[in-house]
Amino acid sequence: MVFLTFLGMFTNQYVPIWMKDNETNHMNMVVGQLSNLKSGIDMQVLNNNEQVASAPIFAPIQLQAEGVPVFASPTMGTLAFTSDGGTSGPNISISYTYKDGSGASYILDSTNGGLTGGSLEFYGPNRYYIQQNVTMENGAIMLKQVDGEAMLSGIAIRLVNNSGQWSLKITLTSLTGVSKTIGGFGTKSITSTLEYTYYQKLNNSDRHDVGLTIVTKYPEAWRQYFSDLLNKSMIPYDPNNVVKSNSAIVNNPGYRTVTVTIPDVYILEYTKAVATISIADIGV
């Protein structure tokens, strides 16, 4: 009788606490693993030398949270890679009107190099801890759960104020490859190979707005990120500088749009990076 009482107490009280701790630690591990992948890609972009081939980056992602032997099974996870699909799926497009040495005007936009996309997303359908999504898209890492979403690590961007004129440096990363979803248990290998980077330094002595259009499943995270960025940069507040659409995109279900306007930019330094992602469906 005493044994059954102890067993019932262990099963009903200690196992849920133990499993919640396992799932919490696992989600923290996934955030760390995706952050390491992002950092590796960022370093490759920063140190890119076109005369030398880039070595692939390997990153393991553990799908499952450990269980409690005999009493609770492991909690499975799902890893989904969505390749850059142009204007379908997650993407960011940048636009800017610039001038050449003769004063002729040109436009950088989504049709001539100003479009990046793709994402790598982990979903943890936790049973004891809160369910979460962790995603890497366009060089940023975000977290989403039932009560909200947040930017964990932003994109490479810098705004510099020169007497009311703004110079902007920004790097956006496209993830390409074969779209794939893997669910279950075990550790999966992710390989990232930097294909190329393309750098442009564009000027407009008359100053012009830089526009960013973000198509994402994480609109609030992006909205808050850019609102904070512009506020910290001391750009005069304008509610129209960062706008989140509340309507889903008709031909892109599950996604919403965030539009960002960075005013009076006279120098734009824009780097587009393209990395190929592959997922090995092998357990370790």
Side-chain angles (χ1 to χ4, degrees):
M1 189 69 178
V2 174
F3 173 76
L4 292 177
T5 300
F6 174 78
L7 183 62
M9 184 175 65
F10 180 81
T11 303
N12 296 326
Q13 297 184 28
Y14 290 98
V15 169
I17 294 173
W18 191 342
M19 281 301 299
K20 182 177 181 180
D21 190 53
N22 285 350
E23 292 178 347
T24 302
N25 291 337
H26 175 240
M27 293 308 302
N28 290 337
M29 178 191 299
V30 170
V31 170
Q33 290 171 329
L34 283 178
S35 296
N36 288 337
L37 177 61
K38 166 184 157 52
S39 296
I41 295 173
D42 287 346
M43 289 301 299
Q44 280 192 319
V45 173
L46 182 63
N47 299 320
N48 183 51
N49 182 345
E50 294 183 356
Q51 296 178 344
V52 179
S54 297
I57 297 172
F58 169 80
I61 300 290
Q62 180 175 311
L63 295 187
Q64 88 283 354
E66 300 299 336
V68 177
V70 179
F71 294 97
S73 61
T75 302
M76 66 172 287
T78 301
L79 185 65
F81 171 60
T82 302
S83 179
D84 179 3
T87 56
S88 65
N91 66 81
I92 294 182
S93 59
I94 184 171
S95 63
Y96 180 64
T97 298
Y98 62 98
K99 295 184 177 181
D100 64 10
S102 67
S105 295
Y106 300 90
I107 298 176
L108 167 71
D109 59 22
S110 61
T111 66
N112 57 8
L115 180 66
T116 61
S119 69
L120 183 64
E121 181 174 27
F122 177 85
Y123 169 55
N126 299 310
R127 298 170 292 166
Y128 299 87
Y129 184 57
I130 191 168
Q131 296 185 2
Q132 293 181 325
N133 295 72
V134 184
T135 296
M136 180 174 71
E137 66 178 36
N138 290 295
I141 294 181
M142 288 152 291
L143 173 70
K144 184 176 184 178
Q145 56 191 40
V146 67
D147 59 349
E149 55 195 54
M151 183 76 68
L152 301 181
S153 180
I155 61 176
I157 184 170
R158 185 184 180 198
L159 269 167
V160 178
N161 185 354
N162 294 302
S163 301
Q165 299 184 100
W166 297 91
S167 64
L168 172 65
K169 294 182 179 181
I170 185 171
T171 299
L172 298 174
T173 304
S174 271
L175 303 179
T176 65
V178 179
S179 296
K180 190 174 187 179
T181 299
I182 298 176
F185 307 93
T187 299
K188 308 304 176 183
S189 64
I190 299 175
T191 302
S192 172
T193 303
L194 182 66
E195 301 296 342
Y196 68 86
T197 62
Y198 179 60
Y199 169 80
Q200 299 179 79
K201 185 174 182 178
L202 309 174
N203 299 269
N204 190 327
S205 57
D206 295 329
R207 299 180 297 182
H208 201 276
D209 296 349
V210 170
L212 296 169
T213 301
I214 305 164
V215 176
T216 179
K217 293 179 180 179
Y218 300 79
E220 181 56 26
W222 282 107
R223 185 204 66 79
Q224 190 63 55
Y225 172 73
F226 273 104
S227 294
D228 292 344
L229 177 70
L230 297 187
N231 288 337
K232 290 177 182 178
S233 300
M234 300 182 67
I235 288 180
Y237 174 76
D238 184 338
N240 294 317
N241 280 349
V242 183
V243 178
K244 179 183 73 172
S245 170
N246 291 320
S247 302
I249 301 173
V250 175
N251 60 347
N252 215 352
Y255 292 88
R256 284 176 166 75
T257 301
V258 178
T259 56
V260 179
T261 302
I262 302 174
D264 298 328
V265 174
Y266 78 104
I267 295 177
L268 169 64
E269 295 184 65
Y270 167 59
T271 300
K272 176 178 180 177
V274 177
T276 297
I277 299 291
S278 61
I279 302 176
D281 188 13
I282 55 175
V284 179

